[in-house]
């Protein structure tokens, strides 16, 4: 397995539907080489924040030494997991290996589980991810309703019940309250405030309170030290 750069957390168990196993995701698709280095990135792959520069440099060094151990997962030619591996392969001039996801279950849960196995994220970061997952869960629920339980590619899906915030919270081992705070932050917070929580520098509860102020006041509050906040 590639080192912890693209996500291991016990919360992955909550997203087991169609999700990858501990060593490599399970799929009926076959691992195969892909000569294309211009693969597009699926929106689902951007649910998780990008690697820090130091993490990406470590990934590049590992692939340079050992080669690409884990394939890049795709759906209809778009990367759903492994955008950093793809970037590293391009940088090293290596033809990336891809593997097509078979479409069984929830794409959202597949992507979450794949990342939670490799990335070590703080609780506040997971809350932000969970908040960003809410629209996907809502859309998948709508798809289930429209098709009577059969979604993309005629694969049956075992959709979770309940509100999207609760679903996303369970998936990331985060309370529903934290997810709702993060969702509020995404709607009303200024970019710098959101970025600080994404980077694990500020608690989502504190950021959600700051987000209640007008944008110019949010910017002023962010100039304060943590004790002052």
């Amino acid at each position: 397995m590639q080192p912890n750069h693209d996500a291991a957390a016990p919360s992955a168990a909550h997203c087991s539907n169609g999700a990858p196993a501990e060593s490599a995701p399970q799929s009926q698709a076959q691992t195969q080489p892909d000569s294309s280095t211009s693969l597009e990135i699926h929106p689902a792959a951007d649910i998780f924040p990008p690697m820090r520069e130091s993490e990406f440099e470590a990934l590049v060094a590992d692939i340079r030494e050992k080669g690409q151990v884990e394939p890049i997962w795709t759906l209809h030619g778009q990367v759903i997991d492994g955008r950093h591996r793809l970037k590293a392969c391009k940088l090293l001039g290596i033809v990336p290996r891809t593997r097509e996801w078979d479409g069984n279950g929830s794409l959202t849960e597949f992507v979450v589980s794949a990342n939670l196995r490799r990335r070590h994220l703080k609780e506040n970061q997971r809350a932000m991810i969970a908040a960003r997952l809410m629209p996907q869960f809502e859309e998948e629920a709508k798809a289930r309703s429209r098709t009577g339980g059969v979604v993309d590619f005629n694969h049956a899906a075992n959709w979770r019940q309940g509100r999207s915030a609760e679903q996303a919270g369970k998936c990331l081992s985060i309370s529903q309250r934290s997810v709702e705070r993060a969702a509020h932050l995404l709607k009303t917070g200024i970019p710098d405030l959101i970025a600080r929580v994404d980077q694990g520098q500020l608690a989502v509860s504190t950021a959600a309170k700051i987000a209640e102020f007008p944008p110019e006041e949010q910017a002023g509050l962010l100039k304060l030290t943590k004790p002052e906040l």
Side-chain angles (χ1 to χ4, degrees):
M1 181 187 297
Q2 219 69 50
N4 298 334
H5 297 126
D6 238 3
S11 56
H14 294 294
C15 297
S16 59
N17 185 22
E22 184 61 25
S23 58
Q26 297 299 309
S27 169
Q28 295 176 355
Q30 297 297 314
T31 302
Q32 57 184 357
D34 190 331
S35 59
S36 172
T37 56
S38 59
L39 291 168
E40 294 183 0
I41 307 300
H42 192 285
D46 290 326
I47 292 173
F48 281 74
M51 286 182 177
R52 295 189 296 270
E53 184 176 353
S54 59
E55 292 177 313
F56 180 69
E57 290 175 352
L59 175 64
V60 171
D62 187 81
I63 293 179
R64 180 186 292 115
E65 178 184 354
K66 303 175 184 176
Q68 183 192 344
V69 176
E70 189 165 353
I72 295 163
W73 287 85
T74 62
L75 177 64
H76 298 328
Q78 291 186 310
V79 175
I80 58 175
D81 176 58
R83 68 190 192 277
H84 295 105
R85 296 193 293 280
L86 176 63
K87 183 179 178 181
C89 286
K90 288 181 179 180
L91 184 65
L92 295 170
I94 296 174
V95 177
R97 290 191 304 110
T98 66
R99 188 170 183 178
E100 183 79 358
W101 179 54
D102 60 17
N104 281 320
S106 165
L107 172 61
T108 302
E109 294 188 359
F110 176 88
V111 172
V112 170
S113 282
N115 278 271
L116 288 180
R117 287 187 300 111
R118 295 187 302 270
R119 302 188 68 173
H120 299 287
L121 301 170
K122 296 180 180 180
E123 181 175 332
N124 293 317
Q125 292 174 301
R126 299 202 308 276
M128 296 297 285
I129 293 167
R132 291 186 174 101
L133 285 177
M134 290 172 60
Q136 281 88 344
F137 278 118
E138 291 170 0
E139 183 58 35
E140 289 177 353
K142 290 178 182 178
R144 175 181 179 272
S145 176
R146 289 194 300 268
T147 60
V150 179
V151 293
D152 298 328
F153 326 121
N154 292 321
H155 288 295
N158 180 22
W159 302 106
R160 299 184 186 277
Q161 302 298 314
R163 298 172 59 187
S164 60
E166 182 180 3
Q167 290 178 278
K170 288 181 179 179
C171 213
L172 276 297
S173 290
I174 293 294
S175 70
Q176 182 175 336
R177 178 58 177 156
S178 292
V179 178
E180 291 170 345
R181 284 173 174 167
H184 170 69
L185 173 60
L186 289 174
K187 290 180 180 179
T188 61
I190 62 175
D192 188 23
L193 178 61
I194 293 172
R196 292 201 187 188
V197 182
D198 279 334
Q199 295 164 8
Q201 298 174 355
L202 191 64
V204 69
S205 57
T206 301
K209 292 179 181 178
I210 294 175
E212 295 177 1
F213 292 90
E216 61 274 11
E217 293 188 39
Q218 293 183 37
L221 288 170
L222 288 178
K223 296 178 181 179
L224 303 176
T225 63
K226 284 187 176 181
E228 289 174 331
L229 281 175

